Amino acid sequence: MMRVKDRMRRSLVSLAQSDTLDHAMMTLRRFNIRHLPVVEGDHVVGIVSDRDVKKTAPSPFDYPTVEEFRAFTSAVTVKEIMTKEVITVSPLTPIEDAACLMNQKRIGALPVVQDGRLVGILTETDVLGVMTEMMGATQTASRIEIEIPASPGVLTEVIGIVEGTQVEIASLVTLPAREGARRLLILRLRTINPDPVVKALTERGYPQVVGEFMR
């Protein structure tokens, strides 16, 4: 099972509560990142996102001079703009649970905490990379989409039919179908020609099998 520790970023860039808005803006820009944990020692006390910064910082065009704009952004502290109720995960959290949490809470990053200490950060970019790999989308393959009954043994039967055509399965994902007690099965196959697999599944009574070659 893939855990958060396998994909989290360990090279951390963080802020202190006393840092200024100006410093936060420059740090986000310098490291080309979107989230900055706020720490006290090695304990997380908040988090600042690029959205927090954009919401707080006025437009430079609202000030007659750059100096006046910098004077404002230097007077605002990170403590004033950070999110104080931080949602965190542990290094051993399954990656899919972290992804679900990010989706439910509509957040773009999760500080990773172990024994109360900040040890990493997991971002939506990291999770998207994992999901792309899990779907097998990083490799050239054929893709087959099929609806199957949500019954024991059906998935095993489909895998057996595919393997019977001497085609290797690169990845397999199941999702709830839109209607009824059925599931949507998406297979990526290590072949440029999915037709034999489509034919074999159709002949075994699986309707609406869709196959295509993906570059």
Side-chain angles (χ1 to χ4, degrees):
M1 182 181 293
M2 185 173 291
R3 307 282 182 170
V4 166
K5 65 182 178 65
D6 300 314
R7 289 304 177 123
M8 71 183 189
R9 304 184 187 191
R10 300 173 188 271
S11 299
L12 293 171
V13 182
S14 61
L15 299 171
Q17 295 185 78
S18 58
D19 285 333
T20 65
L21 172 60
D22 183 64
H23 177 69
M25 293 169 62
M26 289 192 297
T27 303
L28 288 168
R29 187 163 52 247
R30 176 185 175 189
F31 292 97
N32 192 29
I33 53 179
R34 296 173 57 191
H35 302 87
L36 288 165
V38 184
V39 297
E40 192 172 286
D42 52 10
H43 296 275
V44 181
V45 294
I47 190 167
V48 171
S49 70
D50 57 345
R51 286 184 295 181
D52 298 324
V53 168
K54 290 174 182 176
K55 183 171 62 176
T56 306
S59 169
F61 300 107
D62 292 338
Y63 288 81
T65 65
V66 173
E67 288 73 19
E68 289 181 78
F69 173 75
R70 291 289 297 276
F72 172 83
T73 57
S74 296
V76 178
T77 65
V78 164
K79 185 177 181 179
E80 296 175 71
I81 67 170
M82 70 183 190
T83 298
K84 297 180 175 64
E85 296 181 3
V86 186
I87 300 170
T88 64
V89 290
S90 81
L92 296 180
T93 301
I95 199 77
E96 64 271 21
D97 289 353
C100 183
L101 184 60
M102 293 170 76
N103 182 56
Q104 289 177 341
K105 299 298 183 180
R106 296 187 178 183
I107 53 179
L110 290 166
V112 185
V113 175
Q114 184 174 29
D115 299 326
R117 297 172 47 251
L118 178 68
V119 294
I121 188 168
L122 185 77
T123 70
E124 56 191 354
T125 301
D126 302 322
V127 170
L128 184 59
V130 172
M131 297 306 168
T132 301
E133 291 179 21
M134 290 174 66
M135 292 289 291
T138 57
Q139 300 176 353
T140 299
S142 292
R143 181 181 187 276
I144 284 184
E145 189 173 300
I146 175 177
E147 279 194 16
I148 61 173
S151 305
V154 175
L155 182 58
T156 301
E157 181 182 64
V158 170
I159 293 173
I161 294 170
V162 175
E163 291 180 339
T165 64
Q166 304 300 308
V167 173
E168 182 183 353
I169 298 173
S171 70
L172 181 156
V173 176
T174 65
L175 300 167
R178 293 182 179 179
E179 298 179 0
R182 302 181 68 81
R183 296 192 66 81
L184 179 65
L185 175 61
I186 302 172
L187 295 163
R188 289 184 72 94
L189 311 173
R190 298 190 193 282
T191 178
I192 62 173
N193 180 20
D195 292 345
V197 178
V198 173
K199 180 181 178 183
L201 288 168
T202 303
E203 289 177 347
R204 291 289 291 271
Y206 289 95
Q208 299 177 338
V209 182
V210 179
E212 56 185 330
F213 174 59
M214 310 296 292
R215 293 186 179 277

